[in-house]
Amino acid sequence: MLPRLPLLRRTPPPEFLIFGTFVLLLVGGGAWWLLRGDVRGLLPGLGLLAAAIVLLDWRLVFYLFLFTLGFSHEFHLPGGLAMDVPSEPLMLVLLACVPLALLFRQQHLSAREWQHPLLLLLLLQLLWAGTSALTSVDAVKSVKFLLAKLWYLVPFVLGTLLLLRNPAHLWRLSGVYALSVCITVVYTAVRHAGMRFGFDAIHPALQPFYRNHVIYATVLALLLPYALYGARAATHWRVRRAWRVAVVVLLFGLLTSYTRASFLSLPAAAAFYLVLRWRQTRLMLATVVVAAVAAASYFAYQSNFMRYAPDFEQTVFNGHNFEKHLEATYELKDVSGMERLYRWVAAARMAHEKPWLGSGPSTFYPEYKRYTVKGFRTYVSNNPEHSTTHNYFLLLLAEQGVPGCGLFLLVVGTALLLVERLYHRSARPEHRRLVLAAGLSFFIIVFHLLLNELVEVDKIGSFFFVALAALVRLDVTIPEEAPQEA
């Protein structure tokens, strides 16, 4: 439950009336500009709203964002534009609120936080994306990507660090999001039940809150570690029961989502827990790197990848039968899997041609079509939804070159090693539970990135950066002390 924030407690009622009138005028004016189809008219109002909120308490906006995030959906605007409402407008407000809070010294970050390796790597990654944008094949798309990246880094890295002055507030933060997501799961389950929980019915059942079942299942999977360890950390029976109910709801939604990657992410997260418990994260990362290099060398040698080209006539989608869908997956006849190969080959060829700077951020579509190999084409290769590689690492390699992909790999590797270090450094069980909740959630998101590109999806990317910020906060907070078993 939200605490009574001191700044709001000192605000007299007349100021609330003035502020409320101000907000109503902004909302009315914003609606008028949206109807006209000119989003630029919203910017002055959002700036004024951000300044007014900073004078009260910007943390309310953060919690409002988290609660509405589960219900956020794409809203199409005139002129071919689209906006996730209400998440993206609130992210813009937070983009203004967090720097203003730092500027007016309402809150501050310590030098140790500013100089943390994870923050420095994220800054380097952003700077490299800007460097890659200088030679982009589509400068407008790349600049939009850089601006959108700021929407995530400022609110969800710096904002989370300011919000988690007490690391235990991570339970409150994740609990607000989990509440809204559980409501959407119940909504989806009711609609899905009316369609007899059919495999082909999950997509229409989860509309309008999720674009597809992959995003839906990934959100449920990433919240499960918070729910599991939140139940263990709760000191009040009602809170503990609420977290346990959330675990059941999230698991039910995940099982009825029919999403293979999300099913696999849970045992993979359990395996990672054993790896960090046994202090073998370095070995795991080294093994993954060696395996990736060996696989790339094998497929590149004398064009061995052509051996795995699909048969166009036999590549199918078993939309009415999940068992046949799984069977087609391991027989390499599933159209979604083969379409991934089609785009992975194109991404590899793009990276080979521009290995250092890539084609530029957010330019994979339609640039990749010049690099495709006809032998891997499937009947969905026209790609009307304009989707990309279905592998975030290859996407970065194609768009930002080897340095861009390498910096992201360093972020992931540094974060996973930090999870192991913090786990063994924690002497108090409550610290260890926080580390495991944030660390396992982060691992689950990274696992999904092997088959999808989700960091720029508001419902997932926000918690990708929240987890990183939580690990930084825990690294600063947890003292060097002799650990005990949780």
Side-chain angles (χ1 to χ4, degrees), residues 319-334:
H320 299 284
N321 191 314
F322 188 60
E323 291 182 5
K324 289 185 177 180
H325 183 59
L326 293 176
E327 183 180 335
T329 300
Y330 66 75
E331 290 180 352
L332 300 181
K333 294 180 180 179
D334 171 54

Side-chain angles (χ1 to χ4, degrees), residues 197-481:
F197 290 105
F199 174 39
D200 58 341
I202 182 60
H203 182 74
L206 52 81
Q207 299 296 320
F209 301 125
Y210 300 89
R211 292 176 193 168
N212 54 57
H213 71 106
V214 174
I215 293 175
Y216 174 65
T218 306
V219 169
L220 305 186
L222 74 89
L223 283 172
L224 272 169
Y226 291 107
L228 288 167
Y229 288 102
R232 293 187 63 184
T235 55
H236 194 285
W237 68 269
R238 289 181 179 174
V239 178
R240 189 180 305 113
R241 177 177 292 179
W243 278 120
R244 287 173 178 171
V245 170
V247 170
V248 174
V249 172
L250 294 171
L251 276 175
F252 177 81
L254 185 60
L255 291 174
T256 55
S257 70
Y258 301 106
T259 308
R260 295 161 294 180
S262 298
F263 290 169
L264 291 174
S265 70
L266 298 186
F272 176 63
Y273 168 73
L274 296 177
V275 166
L276 68 89
R277 189 179 178 90
W278 296 335
R279 302 176 188 266
Q280 298 300 317
T281 303
R282 282 183 174 79
L283 177 61
M284 180 195 76
L285 293 174
T287 302
V288 169
V289 170
V290 171
V293 171
S297 302
Y298 166 75
F299 287 121
Y301 180 70
Q302 295 184 346
S303 299
N304 279 333
F305 67 91
M306 290 301 299
R307 297 182 182 183
Y308 300 90
D311 186 329
F312 186 89
E313 299 298 329
Q314 295 185 13
T315 305
V316 295
F317 175 63
N318 295 284
H320 299 284
N321 191 314
F322 188 60
E323 291 182 5
K324 289 185 177 180
H325 183 59
L326 293 176
E327 183 180 335
T329 300
Y330 66 75
E331 290 180 352
L332 300 181
K333 294 180 180 179
D334 171 54
V335 69
S336 63
M338 293 302 98
E339 181 62 20
R340 279 183 169 86
L341 288 180
Y342 178 68
R343 300 184 197 180
W344 292 355
V345 169
R349 298 181 74 196
M350 287 175 68
H352 182 263
E353 182 170 305
K354 298 181 178 180
W356 299 114
L357 291 170
S359 62
S362 194
T363 59
F364 184 80
Y365 182 92
E367 185 69 8
Y368 82 97
K369 292 190 175 184
R370 300 197 297 115
Y371 298 88
T372 56
V373 175
K374 189 176 180 180
F376 284 85
R377 186 175 177 82
T378 70
Y379 68 85
V380 296
S381 293
N382 289 335
N383 193 11
E385 71 278 11
H386 297 184
S387 57
T388 59
T389 55
H390 293 292
N391 181 301
Y392 193 71
F393 302 94
L394 281 176
L395 179 68
L396 289 176
L397 187 65
E399 292 186 344
Q400 299 180 35
V402 173
C405 182
L407 284 169
F408 184 75
L409 287 171
L410 282 175
V411 169
V412 171
T414 302
L416 294 179
L417 288 170
L418 180 59
V419 173
E420 179 187 285
R421 189 164 67 250
L422 290 174
Y423 175 83
H424 290 284
R425 199 167 86 194
S426 301
R428 298 164 58 183
E430 53 267 34
H431 282 160
R432 191 167 282 188
R433 290 168 188 144
L434 287 164
V435 170
L436 288 172
L440 293 179
S441 179
F442 178 81
F443 178 86
I444 286 171
I445 296 173
V446 171
F447 183 87
H448 281 86
L449 296 182
L450 295 170
L451 295 172
N452 300 279
E453 53 287 315
L454 299 168
V455 175
E456 280 76 42
V457 175
D458 57 351
K459 295 177 189 289
I460 299 164
S462 55
F463 261 69
F464 176 86
F465 293 110
V466 163
L468 288 175
L471 292 174
V472 172
R473 163 58 56 205
L474 288 163
D475 192 23
V476 172
T477 302
I478 298 175
E480 299 279 357
E481 51 192 6

